[in-house]
């Protein structure tokens, strides 16, 4: 409303002018050369080096304001070495850049349901990413299965993540939807997630991670399982940490071709351990895959591949 915005958690950045795009009609701004936090009284400043810049504001996902458009500014020195600031409309007499923020008045809300039954006790978040890349937001799923978040007007991709509790046997829903939902927000919109329409997690891939030099009690590793999307099955991915015995059990959606692998932490890589080869399994809808074994090894010092890399110029 024309007043300075105070106590706003935000950062101001400047991108350096990198040249003209090939068609000659658009300017290209690439590298961020300055970024500073907004002060409590809504002001910012950073050294003015002569050049052309696009200046914008980074706002946190839960901000009450929409992202303002980036603004073009040119910094020059006059004959007295005094800074002259201008934009596309000409010289700015006050020599200050100004951004006008717009409060968000629209929102997206809904419930997580299993058919007609409202789901309660879920833990997780709902995410939204604007399709033009200008901003993202998230909010927590409430205990009663509802969610609500402010979203500026525009087209958004809406996604969610449900955390799984090993002690909650009834929570067998996949953590992500098969694909994000495209939602146009023009007012107070509603989007419910009906989890009765998605496959439930009902199978497992289990086994152990071993190795002559590997002590599972001293260092755990992560084992992951990935199913690529096809015409009949959605993409799915999950990972678990091995226990003190090196054992693991990955809950998965039933059926399909799964790739399973191990991700090593930095401490194991530093002493020379290599990732175990990825294994592939084809599962029927009622199958589990048990007895999977990954052996971690430290190769001998005389085991290596050597060569020379050329730049291809000569």
């Amino acid at each position: 409303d024309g007043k300075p915005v105070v106590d706003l958690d935000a950062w101001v950045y400047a991108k350096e002018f990198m040249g003209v795009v090939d068609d000659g009609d658009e300017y290209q701004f690439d590298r961020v050369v300055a970024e500073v936090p907004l002060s409590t009284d809504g002001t910012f400043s950073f050294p003015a080096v002569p050049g052309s810049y696009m200046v914008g504001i980074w706002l946190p996902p839960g901000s009450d304001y929409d992202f303002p458009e980036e603004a073009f500014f040119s910094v020059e020195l006059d004959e007295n070495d005094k800074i002259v600031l201008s934009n596309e409309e000409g010289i700015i007499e006050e020599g200050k850049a100004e951004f006008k923020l717009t409060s968000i008045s629209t929102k997206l809300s809904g419930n997580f349901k299993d058919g007609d039954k409202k789901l309660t006790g879920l833990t997780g978040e709902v995410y939204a990413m604007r399709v033009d890349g200008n901003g993202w937001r998230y909010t927590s799923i409430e205990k009663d299965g509802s969610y609500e978040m402010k979203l500026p007007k525009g087209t958004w991709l809406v996604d969610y993540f449900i955390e799984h509790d090993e002690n909650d046997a009834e929570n067998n829903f996949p953590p992500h939807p098969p694909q994000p939902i495209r939602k146009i927000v023009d007012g107070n919109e509603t989007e419910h997630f009906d989890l009765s329409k998605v496959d439930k997690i009902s199978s497992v891939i289990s086994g152990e991670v071993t190795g002559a030099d590997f002590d599972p009690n001293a260092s755990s590793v992560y084992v992951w399982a990935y199913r690529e999307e096809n015409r009949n099955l959605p993409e799915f991915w999950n990972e678990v940490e091995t226990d003190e015995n090196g054992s693991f059990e990955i809950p998965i959606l039933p059926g399909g071709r799964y790739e399973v692998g191990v991700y090593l932490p930095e401490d194991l890589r530093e002493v020379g351990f290599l990732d175990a080869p990825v294994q592939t399994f084809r599962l029927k809808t009622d199958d589990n895959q048990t007895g999977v074994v990954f052996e971690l090894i430290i190769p001998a010092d005389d085991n290596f591949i050597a060569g020379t890399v050329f730049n291809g110029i000569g």
Side-chain angles (χ1 to χ4, degrees):
D1 58 0
K3 298 178 181 178
V5 175
V6 297
D7 297 325
L8 179 64
D9 179 18
W11 284 70
V12 181
Y13 64 88
K15 293 180 181 178
E16 183 182 23
F17 173 63
M18 301 298 290
V20 180
V21 180
D22 292 340
D23 58 16
D25 295 331
E26 297 183 14
Y27 295 105
Q28 180 183 6
F29 295 84
D30 188 11
R31 189 167 58 98
V32 174
V33 294
E35 54 181 344
V36 294
L38 199 64
S39 70
T40 56
D41 59 357
T43 62
F44 65 91
S45 65
F46 38 75
V49 178
S52 298
Y53 306 93
M54 288 296 282
V55 182
I57 299 179
W58 285 315
L59 296 171
S63 174
D64 291 331
Y65 296 99
D66 192 4
F67 275 89
E69 292 186 4
E70 291 181 336
F72 171 84
F73 293 99
S74 175
V75 177
E76 299 176 342
L77 297 177
D78 63 13
E79 61 276 7
N80 299 317
D81 289 336
K82 182 180 178 181
I83 291 292
V84 177
L85 184 67
S86 59
N87 57 19
E88 294 174 334
E89 298 179 356
I91 295 176
I92 302 174
E93 297 297 338
E94 298 82 4
K96 291 184 178 180
E98 183 179 90
F99 290 88
K100 294 182 180 180
L101 302 183
T102 303
S103 296
I104 300 172
S105 60
T106 53
K107 67 180 181 180
L108 178 68
S109 61
N111 294 291
F112 282 78
K113 304 166 64 178
D114 188 356
D116 294 331
K117 176 185 176 183
K118 192 174 181 180
L119 291 172
T120 60
L122 294 179
T123 302
E125 294 84 29
V126 178
Y127 302 91
M129 173 70 74
R130 193 142 59 180
V131 296
D132 61 5
N134 192 13
W136 68 279
R137 291 182 166 259
Y138 73 94
T139 188
S140 297
I141 303 172
E142 301 297 333
K143 292 183 178 180
D144 64 355
S146 66
Y147 74 93
E148 180 179 301
M149 61 178 161
K150 293 182 177 181
L151 284 183
K153 293 181 179 181
T155 304
W156 296 79
L157 293 178
V158 184
D159 199 350
Y160 62 76
F161 175 74
I162 299 175
E163 297 180 14
H164 284 272
D165 186 346
E166 296 179 355
N167 299 319
D168 185 5
E170 296 183 359
N171 182 5
N172 60 346
F173 302 107
H176 298 282
Q179 59 186 15
I181 297 172
R182 193 180 184 93
K183 188 73 175 181
I184 297 176
V185 175
D186 192 39
N188 292 334
E189 310 291 345
T190 301
E191 184 65 48
H192 300 302
F193 296 105
D194 184 1
L195 302 189
S196 68
K197 300 179 181 180
V198 300
D199 290 336
K200 306 297 190 297
I201 294 175
S202 58
S203 299
V204 297
I205 297 175
S206 60
E208 62 177 340
V209 178
T210 65
D213 300 307
F214 172 61
D215 182 2
N217 193 43
S219 182
S220 59
V221 300
Y222 280 91
V223 185
W224 54 265
Y226 172 72
R227 183 178 73 180
E228 187 174 358
E229 180 182 8
N230 59 37
R231 289 181 298 176
N232 302 314
L233 299 173
E235 181 184 58
F236 180 79
W237 179 86
N238 198 7
E239 69 174 10
V240 296
E241 191 174 9
T242 55
D243 62 18
E244 65 275 7
N245 299 312
S247 301
F248 65 89
E249 184 174 288
I250 310 175
I252 60 169
L253 292 178
R257 178 182 180 273
Y258 276 92
E259 292 182 345
V260 186
V262 176
Y263 180 78
L264 302 183
E266 190 64 28
D267 62 322
L268 294 183
R269 296 182 185 276
E270 288 178 350
V271 298
F273 279 101
L274 297 181
D275 288 320
V278 173
Q279 301 184 41
T280 302
F281 304 97
R282 291 188 178 274
L283 306 180
K284 297 181 180 179
T285 56
D286 56 351
D287 280 353
N288 297 316
Q289 182 65 49
T290 61
V292 179
V293 177
F294 290 100
E295 183 179 5
L296 303 183
I297 63 171
I298 299 177
D301 292 339
D302 57 353
N303 289 345
F304 60 85
I305 297 175
T308 303
V309 178
F310 295 94
N311 60 16
I313 298 177

